Amino acid sequence: MRYVIVLKVGPVQGFIAQARRTRDLWYGSQLLSLLAREMARDLTASGATLIFPHPDQVRDTSTGVANKVVALVDGVPEQVARRARDAAKSLLRSEWRRVAGRCESLLIQEAEALAEEQLEAFLEVHAAWAPVDASPTGYAKALREAEGALEARRGLREFSPWTRSPPEGTHKSSLDGGRPSLLRRDRERGPIWRELRIGLREELDALGLLKRAGGRPGQFVPVPSIGLAAGLHAASKAHADLLGRLKAQCEARNFQAVRAPSRPWVRDFPFDGQLLLPERWQPYFEECAIPDARRSAASFGRDFVEPLRAAMRSRGAEPIPYVACLVADGDHMGRALARLAEAPDGARAHQRVSQALAGFTQQARRIVEVEHRGVLVYAGGDDVLAFVTPADAPACAQDLATTFRATLAAALAGTDAVVPTLSVGLGVGHVLESLGALLDLGRRAEAAAKKAGRDALAILVAKHAGRERLWTAPWRMHPVERLSRDITLLTREPWPLPLGKVHEVADLERRFPPGSAPGPELAALLKDEAGRILARAEAGRAPAPLTPGDVGLELSSEGAASVSPHLALEQWSSRLLVADTFARAGRGLGFLQESEVRDE
């Protein structure tokens, strides 16, 4: 008898979000991918035919694997599922032993026993299977039955009580908040503490230490470095001497350098970007255990950072410390896969999609890390998570969406299945926000893109001490080009659109309760008032009055209009205020583009 077997490894979202540093985030995703890959390998060794992920993706360790594995097995599926689960558990223990051996000097005596319990309680592997009958739709029916059983089983949560007590006075993990820390309390600021960036008051459990020490320290690009990448590239062209002095000082102080040859933009400043932020000088020096950190940090900033910042300010190019968290997810994948499954060769059709997704995963890394200045945290199946410098983020999102659709269209050619699309959310926040807060912004933006009808881009900007701004637009409306025109509108010389007028229009819109539907007279009033705000002459501003058409504001007081004036004002002001963030991110970089063109 042949069976469809479905396995899922978790937990996913909550575990990944528990992160303080980029390496925590990256290795959390990497660990889940490793476990799913190991299950897929074991299924193959058991004679199973892999559907998701594609066998090529399992062999290619440079790409991620989604946490769901689907295969066809002959024989006893329960035994196959148990073997795959045991393989995942064995790999998790192996990873722990590798990290524990390297970090032995950091651990308390009871660490091994506590870690064993923490690892055992952490991993969730669920499996379900259903027999495939000989009918043309046997695969589709079995897959539906197995997936339904799997989700029902996942709803039955198991909770195992802790049996081992940590030493008295042990603190909880700073990442998890529930599991006891395995780190020693008597700490000497040795090289390994600095290398792993473990703070004086930071605590890590077994999973937290796995995240922190699982990768190579030099391979991770700090979030501030990603956010400031565009400005640092400008500095490398226009102020190479000042940036060179700063880099030499970082090398002389033995600050940890990023070694990321596959990301060429990192070479502009291969150190932590927070060194460009005055409020982070002293904390960074303290973390590196530099004697007399306060005075050394002040001297470092005054002599080597401020001259560079001042030079960039003189060109209006001081970088803004914001970063974009990009979260993308495929649309209508379930519908397309269900349609393909109904075909007589449903399993092979799914394998073609699986192979296409593996190809997209490879292209996603190139798009994010080479063609744009970003770091891919995870790409597997139809999911993408990355951090990108704001100046590149909209174009990066567009390239991912275009590539995803083209890749899936080629795989579905000749079928009647709907071609999946990609919804992308960009959550833009301060580089010093917690990773959890940045992830939340990205996920809420992605959810907004889905809510806006899918196949869309959503940008959610959260400024320090400011309200959030959300703008969504379907890809068919060319949102990146629209954003580019708005940026031009806000920055054109000599008559940029005053940002104060945008705020006035936003205030006008906020006077009306959300969801209100103004009648014809009120709609006409709104239109007239918005027109008056734009047309009002101001000292030093454009000689000719602005009209709504001049600034891309489409208003109509007609009852049959598709968008009410109230909604049109809200969408326009949000769009322009989002565009202002990207305008600031690229402000002053025009001189760089001109010089690069001349160099060519």
Side-chain angles (χ1 to χ4, degrees):
M1 176 65 76
R2 170 158 279 202
Y3 295 85
V4 167
I5 186 169
V6 185
L7 299 99
K8 271 190 175 179
V9 62
V12 178
Q13 301 291 354
F15 173 66
I16 292 174
Q18 294 168 358
R20 280 193 166 185
R21 302 194 182 279
T22 315
R23 63 187 72 185
D24 303 340
L25 193 63
W26 179 86
Y27 196 76
S29 298
Q30 177 75 2
L31 180 61
L32 293 175
S33 177
L34 287 173
L35 296 173
R37 189 190 303 277
E38 191 64 17
M39 290 197 305
R41 279 180 178 150
D42 193 80
L43 287 173
T44 304
S46 298
T49 302
L50 278 182
I51 306 296
F52 293 100
H54 193 272
D56 291 347
Q57 194 173 7
V58 175
R59 287 188 287 269
D60 181 5
T61 56
S62 67
T63 62
V65 171
N67 72 318
K68 180 179 174 181
V69 178
V70 180
L72 291 169
V73 300
D74 298 310
V76 185
E78 183 176 355
Q79 291 179 1
V80 174
R82 286 187 186 281
R83 275 194 50 177
R85 181 201 60 183
D86 292 344
K89 286 188 172 183
S90 176
L91 178 69
L92 181 61
R93 288 193 292 268
S94 171
E95 284 294 288
W96 165 252
R97 286 194 295 272
R98 178 177 65 84
V99 168
R102 178 184 169 200
C103 302
E104 188 176 2
S105 62
L106 314 184
L107 301 175
I108 58 177
Q109 285 185 348
E110 299 81 354
E112 189 58 39
L114 289 170
E116 183 180 352
E117 185 173 54
Q118 291 176 3
L119 297 175
E120 182 67 25
F122 156 74
L123 189 61
E124 298 174 2
V125 177
H126 295 96
W129 51 87
V132 181
D133 63 36
S135 68
T137 58
Y139 170 75
K141 286 190 292 185
L143 182 60
R144 277 199 304 272
E145 187 178 342
E147 289 185 327
L150 183 75
E151 292 310 312
R153 177 63 185 84
R154 279 162 50 84
L156 301 175
R157 303 294 301 275
E158 295 175 357
F159 298 95
S160 302
W162 299 110
T163 59
R164 298 183 183 278
S165 300
E168 189 174 350
T170 299
H171 291 187
K172 299 293 186 184
S173 169
S174 303
L175 299 188
D176 171 71
R179 290 185 285 263
S181 171
L182 306 185
L183 299 183
R184 293 168 46 186
R185 300 296 301 156
D186 53 329
R187 302 180 182 182
E188 296 178 2
R189 299 304 294 168
I192 191 166
W193 293 91
R194 292 199 299 272
E195 188 179 72
L196 298 178
R197 305 286 301 275
I198 299 176
L200 286 172
R201 288 177 290 278
E202 194 168 17
E203 303 289 349
L204 296 174
D205 62 303
L207 279 307
L209 190 60
L210 258 180
K211 287 181 174 181
R212 186 62 57 87
R216 301 187 310 277
Q219 77 181 92
F220 304 103
V221 184
V223 166
S225 299
I226 304 169
L228 299 173
L232 286 167
H233 182 59
S236 73
K237 298 293 181 184
H239 309 293
D241 52 341
L242 293 174
L243 188 60
R245 287 181 61 212
L246 178 57
K247 286 195 288 188
Q249 277 300 309
C250 293
E251 289 170 356
R253 294 170 190 271
N254 204 26
F255 289 160
Q256 190 172 90
V258 179
R259 294 179 289 277
S262 62
R263 301 162 189 146
W265 51 272
V266 175
R267 288 196 290 268
D268 291 328
F269 186 69
F271 298 96
D272 196 326
Q274 66 175 301
L275 288 167
L276 275 293
L277 307 177
E279 65 270 33
R280 294 301 304 165
W281 294 338
Q282 184 175 335
Y284 190 87
F285 274 55
E286 288 174 347
E287 188 178 292
C288 293
I290 293 178
D292 197 3
R294 181 180 177 186
R295 193 161 56 181
S296 297
S299 170
F300 170 84
R302 182 188 63 242
D303 296 340
F304 303 105
V305 183
E306 278 301 345
L308 176 64
R309 289 173 60 95
M312 296 192 72
R313 260 197 310 272
S314 69
R315 290 177 178 266
E318 190 172 23
I320 66 164
Y322 280 80
V323 68
C325 176
L326 185 154
V327 180
D329 183 53
D331 308 314
H332 309 299
M333 283 296 296
R335 189 194 304 176
L337 292 174
R339 185 62 183 166
L340 292 173
E342 296 290 343
D345 63 342
R348 282 195 290 275
H350 276 189
Q351 283 182 315
R352 287 196 298 273
V353 173
S354 175
Q355 190 169 26
L357 290 174
F360 169 71
T361 299
Q362 290 179 323
Q363 295 185 73
R365 182 171 298 281
R366 173 181 52 77
I367 290 170
V368 172
E369 299 192 343
V370 179
E371 297 179 5
H372 301 285
R373 288 164 286 202
V375 171
L376 187 71
V377 176
Y378 172 77
D382 60 341
D383 294 322
V384 179
L385 171 61
F387 287 94
V388 189
T389 198
D392 294 3
C396 182
Q398 179 174 264
D399 289 350
L400 286 171
T402 302
T403 303
F404 182 83
R405 187 180 180 89
T407 304
L408 270 295
L412 297 177
T415 74
D416 60 354
V418 61
V419 176
T421 53
L422 195 71
S423 290
V424 186
L426 293 175
V428 182
H430 198 277
V431 296
L432 297 183
E433 287 286 359
S434 70
L435 281 176
L438 293 172
L439 268 176
D440 180 61
L441 278 175
R443 285 175 177 157
R444 284 196 286 136
E446 183 257 343
K450 295 281 189 185
K451 190 177 179 181
R454 294 183 169 83
D455 192 18
L457 170 69
I459 303 175
L460 178 61
V461 176
K463 293 280 191 67
H464 257 10
R467 61 175 291 190
E468 293 181 351
R469 296 288 178 183
L470 172 67
W471 175 58
T472 63
W475 287 114
R476 67 175 185 280
M477 301 297 288
H478 308 292
V480 177
E481 287 80 356
R482 175 70 264 178
L483 199 60
S484 178
R485 292 199 297 275
D486 289 338
I487 291 171
T488 301
L489 197 62
L490 291 164
T491 58
R492 65 187 178 187
E493 295 294 346
W495 312 115
L497 170 66
L499 198 60
K501 288 182 182 290
V502 180
H503 282 292
E504 278 193 67
V505 171
D507 290 341
L508 174 65
E509 172 267 322
R510 278 202 298 273
R511 294 176 195 170
F512 297 87
S516 64
E521 291 184 359
L522 192 52
L525 182 63
L526 276 172
K527 179 182 175 183
D528 292 344
E529 181 62 10
R532 185 194 66 77
I533 291 171
L534 292 170
R536 189 181 63 231
E538 295 181 1
R541 299 298 184 185
L546 289 171
T547 67
D550 293 336
V551 296
L553 174 57
E554 298 178 2
L555 283 173
S556 174
S557 57
E558 301 298 326
S562 59
V563 178
S564 71
H566 180 211
L567 184 57
L569 292 179
E570 191 275 332
Q571 291 177 343
W572 179 83
S573 57
S574 291
R575 197 184 80 211
L576 267 292
L577 291 171
V578 165
D580 176 62
T581 300
F582 290 95
R584 291 172 187 272
R587 187 163 293 164
L589 304 185
F591 72 88
L592 169 64
Q593 294 165 0
E594 292 167 7
S595 64
E596 287 185 334
V597 169
R598 284 196 298 272
D599 290 344
E600 293 172 359

Short mmCIF file of all heavy atoms in Angstrom, two decimals, residues 326-372:
data_model
loop_
_atom_site.label_atom_id
_atom_site.label_comp_id
_atom_site.label_asym_id
_atom_site.label_seq_id
_atom_site.Cartn_x
_atom_site.Cartn_y
_atom_site.Cartn_z
N LEU A 326 11.59 42.84 5.53
CA LEU A 326 10.80 42.36 4.38
C LEU A 326 10.25 40.97 4.68
O LEU A 326 11.00 40.05 4.97
CB LEU A 326 11.69 42.33 3.13
CG LEU A 326 11.06 41.98 1.79
CD1 LEU A 326 11.86 42.59 0.63
CD2 LEU A 326 10.90 40.49 1.58
N VAL A 327 8.93 40.86 4.63
CA VAL A 327 8.26 39.57 4.83
C VAL A 327 7.38 39.31 3.61
O VAL A 327 6.55 40.15 3.26
CB VAL A 327 7.41 39.57 6.12
CG1 VAL A 327 6.73 38.21 6.30
CG2 VAL A 327 8.26 39.89 7.33
N ALA A 328 7.58 38.18 2.96
CA ALA A 328 6.82 37.87 1.75
C ALA A 328 6.22 36.48 1.86
O ALA A 328 6.81 35.58 2.47
CB ALA A 328 7.73 37.97 0.52
N ASP A 329 5.07 36.32 1.23
CA ASP A 329 4.40 35.02 1.27
C ASP A 329 3.61 34.85 -0.03
O ASP A 329 3.01 35.80 -0.54
CB ASP A 329 3.45 34.97 2.47
CG ASP A 329 2.77 33.61 2.60
OD1 ASP A 329 3.48 32.59 2.61
OD2 ASP A 329 1.53 33.57 2.66
N GLY A 330 3.63 33.62 -0.56
CA GLY A 330 2.92 33.34 -1.80
C GLY A 330 1.41 33.41 -1.62
O GLY A 330 0.87 33.09 -0.57
N ASP A 331 0.73 33.85 -2.69
CA ASP A 331 -0.74 33.93 -2.68
C ASP A 331 -1.32 32.76 -3.49
O ASP A 331 -0.79 32.40 -4.54
CB ASP A 331 -1.21 35.24 -3.34
CG ASP A 331 -0.54 36.46 -2.75
OD1 ASP A 331 -0.47 36.54 -1.51
OD2 ASP A 331 -0.08 37.33 -3.54
N HIS A 332 -2.41 32.24 -3.01
CA HIS A 332 -3.18 31.20 -3.73
C HIS A 332 -2.35 29.94 -3.98
O HIS A 332 -2.65 29.20 -4.93
CB HIS A 332 -3.69 31.75 -5.08
CG HIS A 332 -4.41 33.05 -4.97
ND1 HIS A 332 -5.56 33.20 -4.22
CD2 HIS A 332 -4.14 34.28 -5.50
CE1 HIS A 332 -5.97 34.47 -4.30
NE2 HIS A 332 -5.12 35.14 -5.06
N MET A 333 -1.35 29.69 -3.15
CA MET A 333 -0.57 28.46 -3.32
C MET A 333 -1.44 27.23 -3.07
O MET A 333 -1.37 26.24 -3.79
CB MET A 333 0.63 28.46 -2.37
CG MET A 333 1.79 29.35 -2.79
SD MET A 333 2.55 28.84 -4.33
CE MET A 333 3.20 27.24 -3.92
N GLY A 334 -2.27 27.31 -2.01
CA GLY A 334 -3.12 26.17 -1.69
C GLY A 334 -4.08 25.84 -2.82
O GLY A 334 -4.28 24.67 -3.16
N ARG A 335 -4.64 26.90 -3.43
CA ARG A 335 -5.59 26.68 -4.52
C ARG A 335 -4.90 26.05 -5.72
O ARG A 335 -5.41 25.11 -6.34
CB ARG A 335 -6.23 28.02 -4.93
CG ARG A 335 -7.39 27.84 -5.91
CD ARG A 335 -7.79 29.16 -6.56
NE ARG A 335 -8.14 30.19 -5.60
CZ ARG A 335 -8.43 31.44 -5.95
NH1 ARG A 335 -8.41 31.78 -7.23
NH2 ARG A 335 -8.74 32.32 -5.05
N ALA A 336 -3.71 26.56 -6.04
CA ALA A 336 -2.98 26.02 -7.19
C ALA A 336 -2.57 24.57 -6.94
O ALA A 336 -2.72 23.71 -7.83
CB ALA A 336 -1.74 26.87 -7.47
N LEU A 337 -2.09 24.29 -5.74
CA LEU A 337 -1.65 22.92 -5.44
C LEU A 337 -2.84 21.95 -5.42
O LEU A 337 -2.74 20.81 -5.88
CB LEU A 337 -0.91 22.89 -4.11
CG LEU A 337 0.44 23.61 -4.10
CD1 LEU A 337 1.03 23.65 -2.69
CD2 LEU A 337 1.42 22.93 -5.05
N ALA A 338 -3.98 22.43 -4.89
CA ALA A 338 -5.17 21.57 -4.87
C ALA A 338 -5.61 21.24 -6.30
O ALA A 338 -6.01 20.11 -6.60
CB ALA A 338 -6.28 22.26 -4.10
N ARG A 339 -5.55 22.23 -7.17
CA ARG A 339 -5.94 21.99 -8.56
C ARG A 339 -5.00 21.01 -9.24
O ARG A 339 -5.43 20.11 -9.96
CB ARG A 339 -5.92 23.33 -9.31
CG ARG A 339 -6.41 23.26 -10.74
CD ARG A 339 -7.86 22.84 -10.77
NE ARG A 339 -8.34 22.70 -12.14
CZ ARG A 339 -9.47 22.09 -12.45
NH1 ARG A 339 -10.24 21.56 -11.49
NH2 ARG A 339 -9.86 21.99 -13.70
N LEU A 340 -3.71 21.18 -9.00
CA LEU A 340 -2.73 20.27 -9.61
C LEU A 340 -2.87 18.85 -9.06
O LEU A 340 -2.69 17.87 -9.79
CB LEU A 340 -1.31 20.77 -9.35
CG LEU A 340 -0.90 22.07 -10.05
CD1 LEU A 340 0.46 22.52 -9.56
CD2 LEU A 340 -0.88 21.88 -11.56
N ALA A 341 -3.20 18.75 -7.77
CA ALA A 341 -3.31 17.42 -7.16
C ALA A 341 -4.42 16.59 -7.80
O ALA A 341 -4.35 15.36 -7.81
CB ALA A 341 -3.54 17.58 -5.65
N GLU A 342 -5.44 17.26 -8.31
CA GLU A 342 -6.57 16.55 -8.90
C GLU A 342 -6.22 15.90 -10.22
O GLU A 342 -6.94 15.03 -10.71
CB GLU A 342 -7.75 17.52 -9.11
CG GLU A 342 -8.31 18.12 -7.84
CD GLU A 342 -9.06 17.09 -6.99
OE1 GLU A 342 -9.41 16.03 -7.54
OE2 GLU A 342 -9.26 17.34 -5.78
N ALA A 343 -5.12 16.32 -10.82
CA ALA A 343 -4.72 15.75 -12.12
C ALA A 343 -4.24 14.31 -11.93
O ALA A 343 -3.79 13.93 -10.84
CB ALA A 343 -3.60 16.60 -12.73
N PRO A 344 -4.32 13.49 -12.98
CA PRO A 344 -3.86 12.10 -12.86
C PRO A 344 -2.40 11.99 -12.43
O PRO A 344 -2.02 11.03 -11.77
CB PRO A 344 -4.08 11.55 -14.26
CG PRO A 344 -5.17 12.40 -14.83
CD PRO A 344 -4.96 13.76 -14.28
N ASP A 345 -1.59 12.97 -12.81
CA ASP A 345 -0.17 12.95 -12.39
C ASP A 345 0.06 14.00 -11.30
O ASP A 345 1.05 14.73 -11.33
CB ASP A 345 0.74 13.22 -13.59
CG ASP A 345 0.51 14.60 -14.18
OD1 ASP A 345 -0.55 15.21 -13.90
OD2 ASP A 345 1.39 15.10 -14.92
N GLY A 346 -0.86 14.07 -10.35
CA GLY A 346 -0.82 15.11 -9.32
C GLY A 346 0.49 15.15 -8.55
O GLY A 346 1.03 16.23 -8.30
N ALA A 347 1.02 13.99 -8.20
CA ALA A 347 2.26 13.97 -7.41
C ALA A 347 3.41 14.56 -8.22
O ALA A 347 4.23 15.34 -7.69
CB ALA A 347 2.59 12.55 -6.98
N ARG A 348 3.49 14.20 -9.50
CA ARG A 348 4.59 14.75 -10.34
C ARG A 348 4.41 16.26 -10.55
O ARG A 348 5.38 17.01 -10.59
CB ARG A 348 4.65 14.01 -11.67
CG ARG A 348 5.31 12.64 -11.57
CD ARG A 348 5.68 12.10 -12.94
NE ARG A 348 4.49 11.73 -13.71
CZ ARG A 348 3.89 10.55 -13.59
NH1 ARG A 348 4.35 9.64 -12.76
NH2 ARG A 348 2.82 10.28 -14.31
N ALA A 349 3.13 16.70 -10.69
CA ALA A 349 2.88 18.14 -10.84
C ALA A 349 3.35 18.88 -9.58
O ALA A 349 3.94 19.96 -9.66
CB ALA A 349 1.40 18.38 -11.10
N HIS A 350 3.10 18.30 -8.42
CA HIS A 350 3.56 18.93 -7.18
C HIS A 350 5.09 18.96 -7.12
O HIS A 350 5.69 19.91 -6.62
CB HIS A 350 3.00 18.17 -5.97
CG HIS A 350 1.62 18.62 -5.62
ND1 HIS A 350 0.97 18.23 -4.47
CD2 HIS A 350 0.75 19.43 -6.27
CE1 HIS A 350 -0.23 18.79 -4.42
NE2 HIS A 350 -0.40 19.52 -5.51
N GLN A 351 5.73 17.92 -7.61
CA GLN A 351 7.20 17.93 -7.63
C GLN A 351 7.75 19.03 -8.52
O GLN A 351 8.77 19.65 -8.22
CB GLN A 351 7.73 16.57 -8.09
CG GLN A 351 7.67 15.50 -7.01
CD GLN A 351 8.24 14.17 -7.49
OE1 GLN A 351 7.94 13.73 -8.60
NE2 GLN A 351 9.05 13.55 -6.65
N ARG A 352 7.04 19.31 -9.64
CA ARG A 352 7.50 20.42 -10.52
C ARG A 352 7.40 21.75 -9.77
O ARG A 352 8.29 22.60 -9.87
CB ARG A 352 6.65 20.45 -11.80
CG ARG A 352 6.96 19.33 -12.78
CD ARG A 352 6.40 19.65 -14.16
NE ARG A 352 4.93 19.77 -14.16
CZ ARG A 352 4.09 18.76 -14.30
NH1 ARG A 352 4.57 17.53 -14.44
NH2 ARG A 352 2.79 18.96 -14.30
N VAL A 353 6.29 21.93 -9.04
CA VAL A 353 6.15 23.16 -8.25
C VAL A 353 7.23 23.21 -7.16
O VAL A 353 7.84 24.27 -6.91
CB VAL A 353 4.75 23.24 -7.61
CG1 VAL A 353 4.65 24.42 -6.66
CG2 VAL A 353 3.69 23.35 -8.70
N SER A 354 7.48 22.07 -6.55
CA SER A 354 8.51 22.00 -5.50
C SER A 354 9.87 22.41 -6.05
O SER A 354 10.62 23.16 -5.42
CB SER A 354 8.54 20.57 -4.95
OG SER A 354 9.58 20.41 -4.04
N GLN A 355 10.17 21.91 -7.26
CA GLN A 355 11.45 22.27 -7.89
C GLN A 355 11.50 23.76 -8.22
O GLN A 355 12.54 24.42 -8.07
CB GLN A 355 11.66 21.43 -9.14
CG GLN A 355 13.07 21.55 -9.72
CD GLN A 355 13.31 20.52 -10.80
OE1 GLN A 355 12.37 20.05 -11.46
NE2 GLN A 355 14.56 20.13 -10.98
N ALA A 356 10.37 24.29 -8.68
CA ALA A 356 10.32 25.73 -9.00
C ALA A 356 10.55 26.57 -7.74
O ALA A 356 11.26 27.58 -7.77
CB ALA A 356 8.98 26.07 -9.65
N LEU A 357 9.95 26.17 -6.64
CA LEU A 357 10.14 26.91 -5.39
C LEU A 357 11.60 26.85 -4.93
O LEU A 357 12.13 27.82 -4.39
CB LEU A 357 9.21 26.35 -4.31
CG LEU A 357 7.72 26.63 -4.50
CD1 LEU A 357 6.89 25.89 -3.46
CD2 LEU A 357 7.42 28.12 -4.45
N ALA A 358 12.24 25.70 -5.16
CA ALA A 358 13.66 25.59 -4.82
C ALA A 358 14.47 26.58 -5.66
O ALA A 358 15.40 27.23 -5.16
CB ALA A 358 14.15 24.17 -5.05
N GLY A 359 14.10 26.71 -6.95
CA GLY A 359 14.80 27.67 -7.81
C GLY A 359 14.56 29.11 -7.36
O GLY A 359 15.49 29.93 -7.35
N PHE A 360 13.34 29.41 -6.94
CA PHE A 360 13.05 30.75 -6.44
C PHE A 360 13.86 31.06 -5.18
O PHE A 360 14.36 32.18 -5.00
CB PHE A 360 11.56 30.90 -6.15
CG PHE A 360 11.23 32.15 -5.39
CD1 PHE A 360 11.32 33.39 -6.01
CD2 PHE A 360 10.86 32.11 -4.05
CE1 PHE A 360 11.04 34.56 -5.31
CE2 PHE A 360 10.58 33.25 -3.34
CZ PHE A 360 10.68 34.49 -3.97
N THR A 361 14.00 30.07 -4.32
CA THR A 361 14.78 30.27 -3.09
C THR A 361 16.21 30.68 -3.41
O THR A 361 16.77 31.57 -2.77
CB THR A 361 14.77 28.96 -2.28
OG1 THR A 361 13.42 28.64 -1.93
CG2 THR A 361 15.57 29.10 -1.02
N GLN A 362 16.80 30.02 -4.42
CA GLN A 362 18.16 30.39 -4.81
C GLN A 362 18.21 31.81 -5.35
O GLN A 362 19.12 32.59 -5.04
CB GLN A 362 18.67 29.41 -5.86
CG GLN A 362 18.95 28.02 -5.33
CD GLN A 362 19.42 27.08 -6.42
OE1 GLN A 362 18.95 27.15 -7.55
NE2 GLN A 362 20.34 26.19 -6.08
N GLN A 363 17.23 32.15 -6.18
CA GLN A 363 17.22 33.50 -6.76
C GLN A 363 16.95 34.57 -5.70
O GLN A 363 17.45 35.69 -5.80
CB GLN A 363 16.17 33.58 -7.86
CG GLN A 363 16.46 32.68 -9.04
CD GLN A 363 15.45 32.87 -10.15
OE1 GLN A 363 15.46 33.88 -10.84
NE2 GLN A 363 14.56 31.90 -10.32
N ALA A 364 16.16 34.22 -4.68
CA ALA A 364 15.85 35.20 -3.64
C ALA A 364 17.12 35.67 -2.93
O ALA A 364 17.28 36.85 -2.63
CB ALA A 364 14.87 34.58 -2.63
N ARG A 365 18.05 34.76 -2.68
CA ARG A 365 19.30 35.16 -2.02
C ARG A 365 20.08 36.15 -2.88
O ARG A 365 20.60 37.15 -2.40
CB ARG A 365 20.16 33.94 -1.71
CG ARG A 365 21.45 34.26 -0.99
CD ARG A 365 22.17 33.03 -0.51
NE ARG A 365 21.39 32.28 0.46
CZ ARG A 365 21.28 32.60 1.73
NH1 ARG A 365 21.91 33.66 2.20
NH2 ARG A 365 20.55 31.86 2.55
N ARG A 366 20.17 35.85 -4.18
CA ARG A 366 20.89 36.76 -5.08
C ARG A 366 20.22 38.14 -5.13
O ARG A 366 20.88 39.18 -5.07
CB ARG A 366 20.95 36.14 -6.48
CG ARG A 366 21.52 37.06 -7.55
CD ARG A 366 21.52 36.39 -8.91
NE ARG A 366 20.22 35.84 -9.28
CZ ARG A 366 19.19 36.55 -9.72
NH1 ARG A 366 19.32 37.87 -9.85
NH2 ARG A 366 18.04 35.98 -10.03
N ILE A 367 18.90 38.13 -5.23
CA ILE A 367 18.17 39.40 -5.32
C ILE A 367 18.40 40.25 -4.07
O ILE A 367 18.67 41.45 -4.15
CB ILE A 367 16.66 39.12 -5.53
CG1 ILE A 367 16.42 38.55 -6.92
CG2 ILE A 367 15.84 40.39 -5.32
CD1 ILE A 367 15.01 38.01 -7.13
N VAL A 368 18.28 39.62 -2.90
CA VAL A 368 18.37 40.38 -1.64
C VAL A 368 19.80 40.81 -1.35
O VAL A 368 20.05 41.97 -1.00
CB VAL A 368 17.81 39.54 -0.47
CG1 VAL A 368 18.06 40.25 0.86
CG2 VAL A 368 16.32 39.29 -0.65
N GLU A 369 20.77 39.88 -1.50
CA GLU A 369 22.11 40.14 -0.96
C GLU A 369 23.11 40.65 -1.99
O GLU A 369 24.12 41.24 -1.60
CB GLU A 369 22.65 38.85 -0.34
CG GLU A 369 21.78 38.37 0.82
CD GLU A 369 22.43 37.27 1.63
OE1 GLU A 369 23.39 36.65 1.15
OE2 GLU A 369 21.96 37.03 2.76
N VAL A 370 22.85 40.42 -3.26
CA VAL A 370 23.81 40.87 -4.27
C VAL A 370 23.24 42.05 -5.07
O VAL A 370 23.90 43.08 -5.25
CB VAL A 370 24.16 39.70 -5.23
CG1 VAL A 370 25.13 40.18 -6.30
CG2 VAL A 370 24.78 38.55 -4.44
N GLU A 371 22.00 41.91 -5.56
CA GLU A 371 21.42 42.98 -6.36
C GLU A 371 20.94 44.14 -5.50
O GLU A 371 20.75 45.25 -6.01
CB GLU A 371 20.28 42.42 -7.20
CG GLU A 371 20.75 41.36 -8.20
CD GLU A 371 19.62 40.79 -9.03
OE1 GLU A 371 18.49 41.28 -8.91
OE2 GLU A 371 19.88 39.84 -9.79
N HIS A 372 20.67 43.86 -4.23
CA HIS A 372 20.29 44.93 -3.30
C HIS A 372 21.09 44.77 -2.02
O HIS A 372 21.73 43.75 -1.82
CB HIS A 372 18.78 44.87 -3.02
CG HIS A 372 17.95 45.00 -4.26
ND1 HIS A 372 17.76 46.19 -4.90
CD2 HIS A 372 17.31 44.06 -5.01
CE1 HIS A 372 17.01 46.00 -5.99
NE2 HIS A 372 16.72 44.72 -6.08
#
